[in-house]
Amino acid sequence: MAERRMASSVIMQTDQMLSLKPKTILLYLYLIYHADDDGLLGNTRMVLSLVKATKNHLEELANAGYILKF
C-alpha cells in the first residue's frame, strides 16, 4: 500500500459526487486510501466493513463511474 493519497477537490465538489449518499462518498474516500499504487484493491470487504457500507454503496460508485469493478 502506498503511503500518500490525495482526493481531488475537483471530483469531490461535483454535483454528481454530491448527489451520492454520504456513506457512499465516505466509502469512495476509504477505497482511495486503501488502494495500491495502481489504484487496485484486493480487500474490498474489509473496507466495506470499516465504514459499515453495503455492496449497494459499492454498486452506486460503479454506476456513477467512480470505480471500475474487475
Side-chain angles (χ1 to χ4, degrees):
M1 184 166 67
E3 295 296 318
R4 295 183 223 176
R5 292 282 181 242
M6 288 188 110
S8 169
S9 63
V10 173
I11 293 172
M12 297 306 296
Q13 295 173 359
T14 62
D15 286 341
Q16 183 180 5
M17 176 61 83
L18 295 174
S19 69
L20 299 174
K21 297 173 188 161
K23 192 168 281 195
T24 303
I25 296 170
L26 180 64
L27 175 61
Y28 178 71
L29 293 171
Y30 268 74
L31 290 172
I32 290 172
Y33 181 76
H34 288 283
D36 66 12
D37 289 336
D38 297 319
L40 301 174
L41 186 67
N43 56 348
T44 309
R45 288 184 192 164
M46 187 268 304
V47 177
L48 286 171
S49 68
L50 280 175
V51 297
K52 306 276 191 277
T54 66
K55 290 184 180 182
N56 291 337
H57 294 106
L58 200 60
E59 287 296 324
E60 188 177 3
L61 284 173
N63 292 339
Y66 288 108
I67 62 169
L68 298 174
K69 292 172 53 177
F70 292 101

